[in-house]
Amino acid sequence: MSENERGTQLTEEEKEELQRGEKGAIIELLVPLENYLSAGVHIGTHTCTRYMERFIYRVRPEGLYVLDVRKIDERLRVAAKFLSRFQPQSILAVASRPYAFTPVQKFAEVVGAKSVVGRMVPGMLTNPYLEDFIEPEVLLISDPRTDTQAIKEAADMGIPVVAFSDTDAKVDYVDLIIPSNNKGRKSLALLYWALARQVLRERKDIAPDGDIPVKIEEFEVKLSQ
């Protein structure tokens, strides 16, 4: 489902609220609020699991769940700090959903991680006799609903899992949730771009307010592909 189909509109009052913390002070987001909203990172689905209720901002009259951008931003920071503790090559980013292929590959390229897109070969994390066997120390998952093989094998091997999770996600064996619209093309591009940049900031590979020489558009799957 595209961002346009799911809608991205919030009132001016809601936008004002989303830029303030619990005590009313203006908070600084990793990405300008308008950029988050235009990419649709906050647009959930018509279903919300009990795991994801704590990340909901509101429910629209038609039943669409809207995620709290402040909590998305907060979890991107937490995830980046966590991932930055690992050696780059020990991070494995996974995506079985096509719209996540380019974001995952570009994320891996920028931070020096490994990536697997498309169907994951069973046993890749658990069977040392497989030619494709790898031993990551942490997994970054694009969608717990579709990347189930990777999550199962990570759980078997005791590998921590970080996962972009939409409102309909079941997050068994996920150690760190990044609430997000993980189905939209533009949303995935922005989320992986912001996470890659923040990982480099946490590693001190770039300045705390530094940028990366890769545009968000380069993280986006092209419709012609």
Side-chain angles (χ1 to χ4, degrees), residues 2-225:
S2 71
E3 291 86 352
N4 288 335
E5 288 172 324
R6 302 168 82 180
T8 60
Q9 298 299 313
L10 292 177
T11 66
E12 291 305 314
E13 290 75 16
E14 288 171 332
K15 292 178 183 178
E16 173 71 18
E17 182 181 7
L18 286 173
Q19 296 184 84
R20 294 185 180 278
E22 292 182 358
K23 297 182 179 179
I26 295 290
I27 57 176
E28 184 176 353
L29 300 171
L30 290 174
V31 175
L33 178 64
E34 286 299 334
N35 292 13
Y36 273 138
L37 299 182
S38 64
V41 301
H42 61 304
I43 304 300
T45 70
H46 286 84
T47 302
C48 182
T49 62
R50 63 182 177 85
Y51 314 99
M52 298 302 295
E53 289 175 352
R54 55 187 156 149
F55 302 113
I56 298 301
Y57 176 58
R58 69 178 173 85
V59 186
R60 289 184 173 181
E62 70 272 26
L64 186 70
Y65 288 87
V66 178
L67 291 160
D68 191 325
V69 172
R70 294 165 295 189
K71 294 180 179 177
I72 297 173
D73 190 271
E74 176 186 271
R75 285 305 181 101
L76 282 171
R77 292 176 187 271
V78 173
K81 185 181 288 290
F82 179 66
L83 292 172
S84 70
R85 297 174 182 169
F86 296 87
Q87 291 297 315
Q89 283 294 307
S90 70
I91 301 171
L92 177 63
V94 175
S96 56
R97 190 183 292 279
Y99 274 1
F101 288 2
T102 300
V104 161
Q105 291 168 327
K106 190 59 70 173
F107 171 85
E109 176 186 323
V110 170
V111 307
K114 294 178 179 176
S115 65
V116 174
V117 298
R119 179 178 177 272
M120 185 173 181
V121 177
M124 183 176 280
L125 306 184
T126 58
N127 186 350
Y129 296 105
L130 277 182
E131 183 179 347
D132 296 325
F133 176 68
I134 51 178
E135 297 180 275
E137 294 181 6
V138 62
L139 243 64
L140 175 61
I141 297 295
S142 300
D143 188 347
R145 291 182 62 87
T146 56
D147 299 320
T148 53
Q149 181 69 30
I151 291 177
K152 180 179 182 303
E153 295 195 14
D156 289 344
M157 300 302 292
I159 300 169
V161 175
V162 179
F164 288 103
S165 306
D166 211 329
T167 60
D168 58 351
K170 292 182 179 179
V171 292
D172 295 336
Y173 305 114
V174 172
D175 298 282
L176 177 55
I177 297 169
I178 307 174
S180 52
N181 168 8
N182 59 10
K183 301 176 178 63
R185 186 168 55 91
K186 291 185 180 298
S187 175
L188 282 164
L190 178 58
L191 291 165
Y192 271 101
W193 178 86
L195 183 61
R197 185 182 65 171
Q198 194 61 19
V199 168
L200 296 190
R201 286 176 173 177
E202 290 290 344
R203 286 185 193 159
K204 305 188 186 309
D205 289 344
I206 61 176
D209 59 350
D211 230 325
I212 55 177
V214 185
K215 296 179 180 177
I216 297 173
E217 291 75 13
E218 295 179 53
F219 278 69
E220 187 177 324
V221 170
K222 301 298 182 280
L223 291 177
S224 58
Q225 289 182 349

